[in-house]
Every structure is written in structure tokens, then in C-alpha cells.
């Protein structure tokens, strides 16, 4: 196998026109908590402590290559809380090609700007008076752990296994400081965002197009109860039997007893 090609930029351009994403760069030092290595704070270069979660894909890199006392350029997923609106981050990568053993070609080093974010999603709310917007970002569903086959694993009876069913794409919302021209709600936006303290500010934005809504599912009508058909009483088996005496309700209609037959004397 050939040597892995080095990544020439920490955040590549979007691969699709309406690709959802929320990703950015923050320079700082990760300080894990005493009890959990994957949970701690990211102490930024401007002296701010942000709650941080270290994702599993970068945990081995931090332990193997990085120096705990040095600042690095982290690739992060931003999140904002519903109540306090404070910024917290998920650390999904680190931009340190030399320490990772990657040599960049001469003249190919990109101009990396800390505190820059690429936010792409649907604007679901905006307030011109208060000066903020809310962007909805959809996360793509995870692949099946058994492989990349789109077919669902089946049980012995042929039914689809619940554990093998692909999860539905999840979504989260980000609160950004700023405003958009006109009616931006319901439009997919490509936003350029900067971090200032614990808040994210919109610097520029480009509308991509309206977000198509999925048609609502038809409501299930309540089935009417089926009326039971009453069959007429059966007349079978109602003939008189010699073993059962006949007892009519009207004595006048009772059959008369047969007269005795007199035998003639020989």
C-alpha cells in the first residue's frame, strides 16, 4: 500500500450543494477531567474555558502525539445549549501535520484561521429585534456495524431485526448571533461564522435554496366494527322423535290417540 496522502486543509469544502454541517477551528489546550479522559475543558488561546468532549477517533492521537502543555488547532463540532446558549464543543480532530508525521509539500500550507466556523443548514427561526437566528443541522445516519451493505439483517423467521434497522437521521439546532436579509426561514444557508467569547456571530451567508418538506403521513382512519350477521334459526333436528314425547302448548292441537283394533273371533 502506498503512503497515505496528507490532508492539505483541516476543513475540506462541502461535497454536496445542500450538505448539512457545523464544524470549525479553535486554538487551545485540552485539559481532561480527573475522572474521565474524554470529558474536560478546552482552554482557548484567549483564556476562555469551554466544556469539551473528546471523541473516540481522536483520543488515541491525543495520548500518543500531543503535548499536554501546548496549544493546538482543534477541529470541533460546535453546540449551543437551549437555556444558557453557552458554546460547548466536541473535539473530532486536531490540525498538527508535522507531529502526525505528515510532510506538507512546499507552498501548499493553507492559511488556517482560528475561531472560524462553517455552518450549513436550514434557518428555522430568526429575530430581527433580538438579533439572533436558529439553524437546524441534520446529521447523517450511522452505517451498519456489520458492513456497508444496505440490506437489513434478517432473523431466522425472515423478519427484519430491529437492531439492524438503520437509525433515522438526527438533528440539532445552533443559536447564532446576527440577522439575515429578508425572510430567511425555511431556506438552506451556507453561513460563515466567527467565535467571540462563548458566542457565535454570523459574518456572511449565502442562501442555497428552499428546504423541501416531507409530505405528512395520512392519518389512519378508525375501522368501523363489523356487525355480526344473525343467521335464522335452523329447522334441522326439530322432527319428533319416538324417544321424546310431544307436549304442545295448545292441548286442542294435540294428536288424538289411536283407537284399539278389535280382533274378530276365529
Amino acid at each position: 500500500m502506498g503512503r497515505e496522502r496528507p490532508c492539505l486543509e483541516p476543513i475540506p469544502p462541502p461535497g454536496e450543494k445542500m450538505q448539512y454541517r457545523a464544524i470549525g477551528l479553535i486554538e487551545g489546550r485540552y485539559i481532561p477531567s480527573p475522572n474521565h479522559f474524554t470529558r474536560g475543558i478546552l482552554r482557548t488561546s484567549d483564556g476562555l474555558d469551554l466544556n469539551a468532549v473528546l471523541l473516540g477517533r481522536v483520543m488515541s492521537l491525543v495520548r500518543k502525539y500531543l503535548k499536554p502543555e501546548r496549544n493546538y488547532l482543534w477541529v470541533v463540532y460546535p453546540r449551543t445549549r437551549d437555556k444558557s446558549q453557552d458554546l460547548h464543543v466536541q473535539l473530532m480532530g486536531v490540525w498538527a501535520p508535522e507531529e502526525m508525521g505528515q510532510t506538507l509539500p512546499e507552498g501548499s500550507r493553507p492559511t488556517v484561521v482560528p475561531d472560524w466556523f462553517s455552518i450549513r443548514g436550514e434557518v428555522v427561526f430568526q429575530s430581527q429585534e433580538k438579533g439572533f437566528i436558529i439553524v437546524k443541522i441534520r446529521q447523517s445516519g450511522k452505517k451498519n456495524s456489520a458492513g456497508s451493505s444496505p440490506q437489513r439483517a434478517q432473523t431466522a423467521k425472515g423478519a427484519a431485526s430491529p437492531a439492524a434497522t438503520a437509525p433515522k437521521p438526527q438533528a440539532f439546532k445552533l443559536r447564532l448571533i446576527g440577522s439575515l436579509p429578508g425572510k430567511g426561514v425555511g431556506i438552506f444557508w451556507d453561513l460563515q461564522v466567527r467565535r467571540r467569547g462563548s458566542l457565535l456571530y454570523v459574518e456572511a451567508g449565502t442562501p442555497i435554496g428552499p428546504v423541501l418538506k416531507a409530505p405528512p403521513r395520512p392519518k389512519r382512519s378508525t375501522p368501523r366494527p363489523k356487525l355480526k350477521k344473525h343467521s335464522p334459526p335452523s329447522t334441522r333436528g326439530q322432527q319428533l322423535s319416538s324417544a321424546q314425547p310431544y307436549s304442545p302448548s295448545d292441548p286442542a292441537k294435540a294428536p288424538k290417540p289411536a283407537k284399539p283394533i278389535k280382533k274378530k273371533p276365529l
Side-chain angles (χ1 to χ4, degrees), residues 141-158:
K142 297 181 180 180
K143 295 182 179 180
N144 192 338
S145 59
S148 59
S149 174
Q151 297 179 354
R152 296 179 180 179
Q154 294 185 348
T155 60
K157 295 182 180 181

Side-chain angles (χ1 to χ4, degrees), residues 167-215:
K168 295 181 180 180
Q170 298 180 353
F172 64 94
K173 297 178 182 179
L174 284 177
R175 180 179 174 128
L176 309 178
I177 306 301
S179 60
L180 299 174
K183 296 182 180 180
V185 176
I187 306 298
F188 188 95
W189 285 81
D190 182 6
L191 302 174
Q192 311 298 320
V193 178
R194 287 294 186 94
R195 180 189 71 87
R196 299 175 186 172
S198 60
L199 300 177
L200 298 176
Y201 289 79
V202 178
E203 297 288 334
T206 303
I208 305 299
V211 178
L212 300 179
K213 301 296 183 180

Side-chain angles (χ1 to χ4, degrees), residues 98-194:
E98 291 83 1
E99 298 192 16
M100 303 296 176
Q102 296 180 350
T103 302
L104 297 179
E106 296 183 2
S108 62
R109 178 176 291 276
T111 302
V112 180
V113 181
D115 300 325
W116 172 86
F117 290 81
S118 171
I119 310 298
R120 296 171 55 88
E122 176 188 1
V123 174
V124 295
F125 180 82
Q126 66 173 345
S127 175
Q128 299 287 353
E129 298 178 355
K130 297 182 179 180
F132 73 92
I133 65 175
I134 296 179
V135 184
K136 184 178 182 180
I137 296 98
R138 297 184 182 274
Q139 295 175 300
S140 59
K142 297 181 180 180
K143 295 182 179 180
N144 192 338
S145 59
S148 59
S149 174
Q151 297 179 354
R152 296 179 180 179
Q154 294 185 348
T155 60
K157 295 182 180 181
S161 173
T165 304
K168 295 181 180 180
Q170 298 180 353
F172 64 94
K173 297 178 182 179
L174 284 177
R175 180 179 174 128
L176 309 178
I177 306 301
S179 60
L180 299 174
K183 296 182 180 180
V185 176
I187 306 298
F188 188 95
W189 285 81
D190 182 6
L191 302 174
Q192 311 298 320
V193 178
R194 287 294 186 94

